Amino acid sequence: MPTSSTKALAGLRIAVGALFLIFGEYKVVGTQFTRGGGFQYWIGRFLQDGAYPFMVPVLKNFVLPHAKPIAFLVAYGELAIGIALVLGILVRVASICGVIYMLSLLFSANYPGPHAAFWQYFGASLEHLVLALCFAAFASTKPQEILSIRTYLRRRRSV
């Protein structure tokens, strides 16, 4: 019998998955992000607004020169994460990828500056840190045990 915390975690998994379905869908279906320079625009903004110092050479020397394939990786990666979380399949793999992705975004976009107080690093990173923590929770538990395609198929077989 699922507990209320298991149900809550499954609901959160589906909600985060739905967000990633939306994020990935508009990037995959539309061409602005992948082919129209949208990805490069955001990398430029990250560099302009302040990436963590160790990420600046990665963004300039690796990401920008390989922007188109990485843009497709991001778009289809977000879509895959969304599908996995909503359906409850490969949740741990999708969640580990989600943590890596969120930390990449956090270090690319949320640098509060070299003289910021320690707590300001967390305040500046909330938009990515919260989702990284959700993914970490999904990866370390089994939220796919309820409200997933796997449990639905198991129940149908047993009937």
Side-chain angles (χ1 to χ4, degrees), residues 20-21 24 28 30-31 34 38 60 67 72 89 96 99 107 110 113 133 136 138 143 149 151-152 158:
F20 271 76
L21 276 174
V28 168
T31 58
T34 53
K60 283 184 179 177
F72 278 97
I89 53 174
I96 291 168
V99 167
F107 293 128
N110 298 124
L133 293 171
F138 303 152
I149 219 55
T151 56
Y152 173 77
S158 65

Side-chain angles (χ1 to χ4, degrees), residues 37-146:
F39 179 76
Q40 293 89 327
Y41 166 79
W42 283 106
I43 300 302
R45 280 280 305 273
F46 294 164
L47 290 167
Q48 178 185 344
D49 294 346
Y52 278 72
F54 69 89
M55 282 299 288
V56 171
V58 174
L59 294 172
K60 283 184 179 177
N61 302 325
F62 180 74
V63 174
L64 280 176
H66 303 95
K68 284 215 178 174
I70 294 172
F72 278 97
L73 178 65
V74 167
Y76 282 93
E78 286 181 357
L79 190 64
I81 288 169
I83 290 169
L85 294 181
V86 167
L87 295 179
I89 53 174
L90 298 172
V91 172
R92 183 160 286 133
V93 172
S95 297
I96 291 168
C97 291
V99 167
I100 293 166
Y101 180 48
M102 287 297 105
L103 291 177
S104 298
L105 285 174
L106 186 152
F107 293 128
S108 296
N110 298 124
Y111 185 55
H115 304 294
F118 182 69
W119 65 267
Q120 288 176 317
Y121 286 85
F122 295 101
S125 67
L126 280 178
E127 63 186 304
H128 298 114
L129 188 58
V130 170
L131 285 170
L133 293 171
C134 287
F135 285 127
F138 303 152
S140 63
T141 60
K142 295 182 180 182
Q144 71 276 8
E145 290 189 350
I146 64 168

